[in-house]
Amino acid sequence: PIRSVAVLGGGISGLSTAYYLVRALPHDVPITIYESSKRLGGYIQSTQLALPGMDGTSGEGYVLFEHGPRTLRVSKRVSSVNIFDLIRRLNLKDELIVVPKRSAAAKNRYIFYDGKINMIPYSVASILKFYFSQPLFRGMLPEVLVEPFRRNKPKAVVEANDESIASFMTRRFGPRITERLISGAIHGIYAGDINQLSIKSIFEYLWKREKTWGSVVPLWKRREAPETKESENPYAERQNEHLKELLERNKAFMDSLEDASIVSFRHGMQSLVDRLQEEILSSGNVTIRYEDPVRHLENVVDGVTVTSAQGVSTYSHVFSAVPSRKLAELTEPPLAECLRKIPSVSVNVVNLFFSKPWLLPVTGFGYLLPKAVPREDNPELALGVVFDSDAVSRDHGERLIPGSFQDSVDGTKLTVMLGGHWWNHCKPVKEHDEAVALAKKLISRQIGVNESPALTQATYQESCIPQYVVGHHANLRAIHKAVLAQFNGKLILTGASFLGVSVNDCIYYARVAVEDAVNHSGRA
Ligand code: FAD
């Protein structure tokens, strides 16, 4: 039975693990969170900065900057419905900023290509409109039309049972769609390289479509739905049960979000962290050990011994919610070796605020820079630019209502993301002023923003996005086996390194990990 628990890491995965543990376990089971830094939230961090006045003093208003994630996706997927269940339970509904599907922020997404920003179509009519007018789509239609007639997987790919996104997409569609569209989308989510990332782990449904239909585009070939039972995700079957139960319980709330595309919070993503912290601390059985990095884990007869900077304690169960590369440092091979096979990339997140509103040539969520953009057009090695003032702080066409959105004053707020996999082959830009200078150069050249920003902030996020590279699913199986052999089911793994990097996925899989452990071990 579960008698005492340690949760390693106080990021969103660790905090939600603690939240679900508090709900599932009797109140006399102590839960200890180990966090190596001074604060909770991990890569989630929101800062409110005061705008400088004319004479250099503060007091002219404030602006909110996100150092990490800024929005949550609204969809019918289980992890999305689950986060709204959590938001409702945490009484955070009134904090939500809901971006409707019809708004420019939701509809207008761009890709930088051939020296200009090109709009990605959002409807059939818009495909016709943009196809002929934008260089991005040149030559793409034939690639889509011939896809159903292309040969199925070569034998080598069938045998390897996985393939890179670039190889799969080029095989199915050719290089244009792959390097202009898909690589841009992957830069936006994983900051990753399509030549390295796994089609099976990231676009499992496309992999299955090819397997079942022989093509990705269905046309007349749509027959039975792709087999879902064969999923590499061990929780796939249970997700349907969870989804049904969550939709029933949150019907009114989810109905109210029917027209929503993404959401954020008035006081930033940090609200989620702060409310989770309040909630778990109010239970009375959770202790948070700040600035206490865990150094070693050891399987012992009656549990797992945790050695941290401040001491040694034994717990009946340990939930790890630290990145896989960190957990590798705490454990022995073969587990440690498997964990090291999950690489990660670093990003410099540069926030800029300009006092002038409507500085941008277009409105929308922002633009991505795909692989197809030549180096001379992207010497800064940027991944994309988010138009925060459009995307979150206000709806297209509406004036900002002071106090009701994230910022107290109107203006133009942008985030430039630098680095990611581009830095696998060169020195990353860690330094604040250098990152800000690069971001300013990029937006001046690409979207003509030449003003001086009133506020800037650059955060170097080291190894912040795990990369699900080719063979990730097989490695997960090896990790599962090793963790059982080395810790007899007393060490449970969760966090962004394994089954999904989005905040929604981190929270949902924390819930599943807790449910699994409680069902398996029985209640104390
Ligand atoms: P982490 O946030 O890494 O938390 C791990 C914690 O463990 C940290 O607090 C760390 O200090 C602590 N720790 C590490 N080692 C030890 C140790 N030895 N002992 C004790 N503690 C330790 N997702 C979205 O859904 N929407 C977005 O818009 C979005 N944008 C993103 C933008 C950026 C720039 C980044 C980096 C990520 C973004 N993501 C987004 C992804 C998402 O934010 C992350 O995947 C998620 O926050 C990871 O949470 P985590 O708790 O698993 O890991």
Side-chain angles (χ1 to χ4, degrees), residues 8-15 34-37 39-44 67-73 188-189 269 292-295 321-323 325-327 329-330 347 349 365 417 461 463-466 494-497 500-506:
L8 316 185
I12 193 66
S13 299
L15 284 172
Y34 287 81
E35 169 52 47
S36 56
S37 71
R39 56 172 291 277
L40 297 175
Y43 291 113
I44 298 185
H67 305 228
R70 57 213 57 233
T71 53
L72 304 172
R73 260 208 101 64
I189 305 170
M269 298 288 287
D292 194 7
V294 175
R295 302 254 160 87
V322 296
R325 76 202 138 82
K326 295 280 181 186
L327 184 61
E329 292 168 16
L330 319 179
V347 175
V349 181
F365 187 83
M417 305 271 182
Q461 302 283 31
S463 305
C464 58
I465 309 188
T494 186
S497 299
V501 299
S502 70
V503 172
N504 293 2
D505 282 341
C506 289

Side-chain angles (χ1 to χ4, degrees), residues 83-352:
I83 202 170
F84 290 105
D85 181 64
L86 181 69
I87 286 170
R88 180 183 55 78
R89 287 174 189 278
L90 294 176
N91 287 324
L92 273 173
K93 271 162 78 171
D94 294 342
E95 278 285 303
L96 279 182
I97 297 175
V98 178
V99 180
K101 282 183 191 149
R102 62 176 189 288
S103 68
K107 281 198 320 204
N108 304 353
R109 287 168 187 256
Y110 302 87
I111 289 214
F112 188 86
Y113 180 71
D114 207 20
K116 59 178 271 217
I117 48 178
N118 298 253
M119 195 189 277
I120 304 173
Y122 48 82
S123 64
V124 176
S126 70
I127 295 178
L128 295 177
K129 184 169 153 205
F130 298 131
Y131 186 78
F132 297 103
S133 61
Q134 308 205 59
L136 177 69
F137 303 106
R138 220 176 281 140
M140 272 189 196
L141 189 60
E143 287 190 347
V144 178
L145 295 180
V146 301
E147 194 277 337
F149 309 100
R150 287 186 193 255
R151 260 169 20 95
N152 211 329
K153 288 184 189 50
K155 210 166 151 234
V157 173
V158 176
E159 277 164 15
N161 199 20
D162 198 3
E163 176 178 24
S164 74
I165 294 177
S167 158
F168 178 92
M169 289 292 180
T170 312
R171 224 169 26 72
R172 297 288 353 149
F173 292 100
R176 293 185 183 89
I177 291 182
T178 309
E179 283 173 22
R180 294 183 205 162
L181 290 180
I182 308 296
S183 99
I186 289 295
H187 282 173
I189 305 170
Y190 292 88
D193 182 359
I194 49 171
N195 286 303
Q196 312 237 308
L197 294 174
S198 152
I199 186 79
K200 212 171 161 180
S201 296
I202 292 175
F203 293 121
E204 196 186 10
Y205 68 101
L206 295 182
W207 170 267
K208 281 195 201 153
R209 276 184 170 203
E210 188 192 40
K211 203 168 160 188
T212 320
W213 298 339
S215 73
V216 171
V217 179
L219 294 182
W220 69 90
K221 291 172 91 178
R222 184 186 271 276
R223 293 182 284 259
E224 71 279 27
E227 211 28 84
T228 47
K229 281 213 184 93
E230 252 180 62
S231 177
E232 291 298 337
N233 180 339
Y235 303 118
E237 277 189 50
R238 212 159 359 122
Q239 287 177 0
N240 292 335
E241 278 166 43
H242 280 154
L243 183 60
K244 207 168 141 232
E245 170 216 313
L246 284 164
L247 281 172
E248 269 167 29
R249 205 183 315 136
N250 297 283
K251 190 170 179 327
F253 190 19
M254 290 316 290
D255 284 351
S256 74
L257 292 169
E258 189 65 35
D259 186 37
S261 157
I262 48 173
V263 299
S264 193
F265 299 94
R266 288 182 208 286
H267 295 93
M269 298 288 287
Q270 186 76 38
S271 306
L272 198 53
V273 172
D274 295 346
R275 279 293 297 126
L276 272 171
Q277 177 183 0
E278 268 172 47
E279 191 69 21
I280 56 180
L281 286 179
S282 71
S283 71
N285 53 338
V286 176
T287 311
I288 303 175
R289 295 171 66 137
Y290 291 96
E291 294 183 87
D292 194 7
V294 175
R295 302 254 160 87
H296 189 65
L297 297 178
E298 193 185 344
N299 184 31
V300 291
V301 180
D302 54 348
V304 177
T305 297
V306 176
T307 306
S308 69
Q310 292 172 24
V312 181
S313 307
T314 299
Y315 302 88
S316 76
H317 290 76
V318 172
F319 285 76
S320 168
V322 296
S324 61
R325 76 202 138 82
K326 295 280 181 186
L327 184 61
E329 292 168 16
L330 319 179
T331 54
E332 314 293 334
L335 175 60
E337 275 162 14
C338 300
L339 291 167
R340 280 199 189 95
K341 283 190 193 154
I342 305 175
S344 48
V345 295
S346 307
V347 175
N348 202 319
V349 181
V350 187
N351 306 106
L352 305 166

